Amino acid sequence: MHLHDFWFLLIAVLWIGYFFLEGFDFGIGVLTKTLAKDRTERRVLINTIGPVWDGNEVWLITAAGATFAAFPDWYATLFSGFYLPLLAVLVCLIVRGVAFEYRHKRNEERWQRNWENAIFWCSLLPAFLWGVAFANIVRGVPIGPDKNFTGGVLDLLSPYALLGGLFTLVLFTFHGAVFAALKTVGDIRDRARAHAARYGLAAAALAAGFLAWTQAESGNGRSLPAAVVAVVALLAALALNRTGREGWAFALSGVTVVAVFAMVFLALFPDVMPSSSDPAWSLTVSDASSSPYTLKIMTWVAGFMTPVIVGYQAWTYWVFRKRIGTQHIPAAH
């Protein structure tokens, strides 16, 4: 395996890890408005991800940084062509992080309501926009012979891309509902399971359309098994959620997220950004990568740092593994 192939694989793992972890983060943010009945229940939901949400975003920073270092042409074309949607994602992530920290600083109704609205919208929009972005990446966008994006914002809003955005939004919300059922007790746990059942059925319907469309237009023999795994895991997660086995249901909803984005990267390879203008102008892993020396140095650094990141995150989840409920929320003071 060439180093540029290895780094494509590692970047795929980083992005998939980010969506597995941040996916249920986004889902919890959406559920603060659709599942929680009052402010106390919203506090319960937010507290389920309170110790881990910022650590989950490390995967995004690492994935973007690795893309910049290993595939500078891919990074330049992607972040210039997708400037507005990615800027919107960045603003949402900043506002969302501030909202988590500032929501409880004052007890005024208006203050807390505004920050809770920010958490909802700044979870919903990135969950949708990431699906739009990756749908465009796998299908291809207008790229010229100089490797520059030649389209506009409207070129990113095709029916296929919008379907991808709607699918990831519903899938992440389902993933978050299963996580909420796993991490809570009492009435909110029961309602989380009911919400997971509804969102899961919607995700299954959208998965059938999006995955079939992706396989038909961009897929290959490598991506088809991943699509099958995604559908089977999603249906199994629905069945296990129905029986109250939240741990297994969450594991399989995670497998669904992993398989969906694995399919995207398997369908993409060996391209990193296909050109819809002319296939000869597509960016590939070989012509968009950094020098072999750069990739070699990065490999040594990644070999040391990746286990550290995985280790401390696993420890964090283990420490904060217990369920919580409304009875664990102290009265406002």
Side-chain angles (χ1 to χ4, degrees), residues 51-103:
V52 299
W53 68 267
D54 47 355
N56 293 344
E57 293 185 356
V58 169
W59 290 77
L60 172 62
I61 297 169
T62 308
T67 304
F68 169 76
F71 298 98
D73 289 340
W74 183 12
Y75 181 93
T77 304
L78 173 64
F79 281 79
S80 60
F82 291 38
Y83 180 80
L84 287 179
L86 292 181
L87 177 63
V89 169
L90 178 61
V91 171
C92 282
L93 293 180
I94 293 171
V95 173
R96 183 170 172 265
V98 173
F100 283 137
E101 300 298 331
Y102 275 66
R103 177 188 56 85

Side-chain angles (χ1 to χ4, degrees), residues 151-216:
V153 175
L154 294 181
D155 292 309
L156 305 178
L157 300 178
S158 66
Y160 172 75
L162 294 176
L163 175 62
L166 184 60
F167 173 51
T168 55
L169 171 59
V170 176
L171 177 62
F172 290 163
T173 307
F174 166 67
H175 195 32
V178 177
F179 181 76
L182 176 64
K183 290 288 292 179
T184 57
V185 293
D187 180 58
I188 192 170
R189 175 187 176 187
D190 296 332
R191 283 187 284 111
R193 285 172 51 197
H195 276 65
R198 291 193 288 271
Y199 286 118
L201 289 173
L206 292 168
F210 178 74
L211 297 180
W213 197 340
T214 302
Q215 182 63 30

Side-chain angles (χ1 to χ4, degrees), residues 131-140 158-165 167-168 205-228 230-231 259-269 274:
V132 172
F134 274 85
N136 278 295
I137 290 172
V138 71
R139 192 185 195 195
S158 66
Y160 172 75
L162 294 176
L163 175 62
F167 173 51
T168 55
L206 292 168
F210 178 74
L211 297 180
W213 197 340
T214 302
Q215 182 63 30
E217 286 203 348
S218 309
N220 49 51
R222 298 184 303 268
S223 60
L224 181 58
V228 173
V231 173
V260 165
F261 285 96
M263 180 196 181
V264 168
F265 282 100
L266 289 169
L268 188 60
F269 185 81

Side-chain angles (χ1 to χ4, degrees), residues 5-308:
D5 296 332
F6 170 78
W7 271 96
F8 178 85
L9 174 63
L10 183 56
I11 287 171
V13 169
L14 291 171
W15 279 109
I16 291 169
Y18 169 67
F19 289 124
F20 173 83
L21 296 170
E22 192 82 327
F24 67 77
D25 266 13
F26 291 144
I28 291 293
V30 173
L31 291 169
T32 57
K33 288 292 187 183
T34 61
L35 170 62
K37 288 183 175 180
D38 52 35
R39 179 146 296 132
T40 301
E41 290 193 351
R42 280 193 286 275
R43 290 173 67 186
V44 171
L45 290 177
I46 293 171
N47 285 355
T48 63
I49 60 172
V52 299
W53 68 267
D54 47 355
N56 293 344
E57 293 185 356
V58 169
W59 290 77
L60 172 62
I61 297 169
T62 308
T67 304
F68 169 76
F71 298 98
D73 289 340
W74 183 12
Y75 181 93
T77 304
L78 173 64
F79 281 79
S80 60
F82 291 38
Y83 180 80
L84 287 179
L86 292 181
L87 177 63
V89 169
L90 178 61
V91 171
C92 282
L93 293 180
I94 293 171
V95 173
R96 183 170 172 265
V98 173
F100 283 137
E101 300 298 331
Y102 275 66
R103 177 188 56 85
H104 63 281
K105 297 298 184 182
R106 291 165 58 181
N107 287 325
E108 288 85 349
E109 172 72 19
R110 183 177 179 183
W111 173 272
Q112 294 198 0
R113 184 177 64 250
N114 288 341
W115 287 120
E116 288 166 357
N117 288 335
I119 291 172
F120 172 75
W121 287 108
C122 292
S123 299
L124 185 148
L125 288 176
F128 175 77
L129 290 174
W130 280 127
V132 172
F134 274 85
N136 278 295
I137 290 172
V138 71
R139 192 185 195 195
V141 292
I143 298 175
D146 55 358
K147 302 181 182 179
N148 287 327
F149 178 77
T150 58
V153 175
L154 294 181
D155 292 309
L156 305 178
L157 300 178
S158 66
Y160 172 75
L162 294 176
L163 175 62
L166 184 60
F167 173 51
T168 55
L169 171 59
V170 176
L171 177 62
F172 290 163
T173 307
F174 166 67
H175 195 32
V178 177
F179 181 76
L182 176 64
K183 290 288 292 179
T184 57
V185 293
D187 180 58
I188 192 170
R189 175 187 176 187
D190 296 332
R191 283 187 284 111
R193 285 172 51 197
H195 276 65
R198 291 193 288 271
Y199 286 118
L201 289 173
L206 292 168
F210 178 74
L211 297 180
W213 197 340
T214 302
Q215 182 63 30
E217 286 203 348
S218 309
N220 49 51
R222 298 184 303 268
S223 60
L224 181 58
V228 173
V229 169
V231 173
V232 172
L234 178 55
L235 296 177
L238 274 168
L240 289 165
N241 174 74
R242 185 179 180 86
T243 61
R245 302 181 68 179
E246 290 102 343
W248 283 105
F250 176 71
L252 286 168
S253 70
V255 170
T256 304
V257 175
V258 169
V260 165
F261 285 96
M263 180 196 181
V264 168
F265 282 100
L266 289 169
L268 188 60
F269 185 81
D271 291 336
V272 291
M273 282 199 74
S275 172
S276 59
S277 303
D278 187 335
W281 297 339
S282 298
L283 278 68
T284 66
V285 292
S286 57
D287 62 24
S289 66
S290 295
S291 67
Y293 181 75
T294 300
L295 297 179
K296 185 177 180 180
I297 297 298
M298 290 176 61
T299 302
W300 282 104
V301 174
F304 173 75
M305 291 303 300
T306 303
V308 173

